Amino acid sequence: MFKTRLLSGIVLVLLALIFIISGKEILLFATLAISCIGMFELYRVFKIEKSVLAIVGYLAAIVFYCNLEWNFLPDILMLFMSFLILLMFVFVFSYPKYRADQVMAVFFGVFYVALMLSYLYQIRMLEGGVYLAFLVFLCSWGCDTCAYCVGVLIGKHKMSPKLSPKKSIEGAVGGVAGSALLTALYCYIFRTQMNLTGSEIGILALIAGVAGLISMVGDLTASAIKRNYEIKDYGHLIPGHGGILDRFDSMIITAPIIYFLATYMLKL
């Protein structure tokens, strides 16, 4: 299992390098594909992954991503209002085929998976975004790895015993610290390419610490949904890791945090 998980991790890192360095439409459509698979996995929990409701959700995600690149909508709220109205149409005119919680799950899925993950692409489009985008992976996966190592070594106090018994407060602190330190090291190495001053490296390390802390909420959120519906993994697409949501759960919430904090604190 460890060997399989390691090999899958290496492949994921290589794909991340290819997509982020390529940028533009390649990253856009790669992120869209990951989002649609993640939405499919989430909708499968509610037993609607192939339904008309889900198709409306997938189409909303596609239109949203295309608008990021070609900006053909004068107001993005037009998309989400149209999306909600279409869901209502399907709900009403197919009644009682779908339940209200399934309709809300479709709406939630577009925001939770597609919209939040899209900030990986939006970060890449910022000035120096090719370097900033890697912070999303560094913060989420780095925090996860550091938290695991520290938790195994010295973890004693449970952070959320009912939801995730193996996670400890010590591990969480180690994850946040590790995320900040890894980011500081990364930014120092690429300080010339990123055109960073010492204070800006410190700001990015702070941002990484905050993002690392919040990434744990993303991880626990995905775990809470699984526990509510009594499933072990969202899928089996990534050997040794599970599905897209099992591997990208922390990244989903990390990407928008890094985007907004970096945008406003560094004035990008």
Side-chain angles (χ1 to χ4, degrees):
M1 174 61 77
F2 176 76
K3 184 178 178 180
T4 301
R5 188 178 177 88
L6 178 62
L7 289 173
S8 296
I10 292 171
V11 172
L12 286 173
V13 170
L14 290 175
L15 288 174
L17 284 168
I18 293 169
F19 291 141
I20 290 177
I21 291 172
S22 300
K24 293 290 183 179
E25 287 86 355
I26 293 176
L27 179 59
L28 177 77
F29 289 115
T31 311
L32 172 59
I34 291 170
S35 295
C36 286
I37 295 170
M39 290 165 61
F40 180 89
E41 292 176 349
L42 181 65
Y43 294 162
R44 185 164 52 198
V45 174
F46 295 88
K47 298 179 172 49
I48 51 170
E49 71 277 12
K50 297 179 182 178
S51 67
V52 176
L53 278 177
I55 291 171
V56 174
Y58 304 140
L59 289 174
I62 291 169
V63 173
F64 174 75
Y65 271 82
C66 289
N67 186 66
L68 285 176
E69 178 66 22
W70 294 288
N71 197 29
F72 49 82
L73 292 175
D75 188 341
I76 195 63
L77 284 178
M78 291 174 59
L79 169 61
F80 294 116
M81 289 182 67
S82 300
F83 171 40
L84 181 57
I85 291 169
L86 275 175
L87 287 179
M88 291 177 177
F89 264 91
V90 174
F91 181 45
V92 169
F93 290 105
S94 63
Y95 190 84
K97 185 176 182 179
Y98 303 111
R99 301 190 308 274
D101 64 310
Q102 292 175 317
V103 178
M104 289 184 279
V106 173
F107 195 74
F108 170 73
V110 172
F111 279 83
Y112 173 57
V113 184
L115 190 149
M116 295 183 76
L117 198 57
S118 75
Y119 281 97
L120 177 62
Y121 170 77
Q122 295 186 61
I123 289 171
R124 175 63 178 85
M125 299 309 293
L126 295 173
E127 182 181 351
V130 67
Y131 295 98
L132 287 172
F134 285 113
L135 291 182
V136 178
F137 296 90
L138 198 61
C139 289
S140 55
W141 294 351
C143 179
D144 186 43
T145 302
C146 292
Y148 174 79
C149 292
V150 174
V152 168
L153 290 172
I154 60 171
K156 293 182 179 179
H157 302 87
K158 302 300 181 183
M159 183 170 66
S160 182
K162 291 186 178 180
L163 182 55
S164 188
K166 293 183 179 179
K167 286 183 170 58
S168 65
I169 294 175
E170 292 84 357
V173 173
V176 171
S179 181
L181 290 172
L182 286 171
T183 297
L185 178 61
Y186 170 82
C187 291
Y188 180 78
I189 293 171
F190 294 103
R191 63 190 183 282
T192 303
Q193 294 87 337
M194 297 175 73
N195 194 28
L196 294 174
T197 63
S199 61
E200 287 173 332
I201 292 175
I203 290 172
L204 282 171
L206 177 63
I207 289 172
V210 174
L213 178 62
I214 296 176
S215 74
M216 297 178 196
V217 177
D219 183 20
L220 291 171
T221 296
S223 297
I225 294 172
K226 287 191 289 187
R227 285 190 177 275
N228 279 167
Y229 290 88
E230 298 180 344
I231 59 173
K232 185 178 184 296
D233 293 313
Y234 283 102
H236 306 284
L237 182 64
I238 308 172
H241 293 269
I244 288 293
L245 290 182
D246 295 297
R247 180 65 278 182
F248 287 80
D249 50 5
S250 58
M251 191 182 300
I252 285 172
I253 198 170
T254 302
I257 295 300
I258 291 178
Y259 175 84
F260 286 113
L261 289 179
T263 299
Y264 291 107
M265 293 180 75
L266 295 180
K267 307 296 182 183
L268 297 175

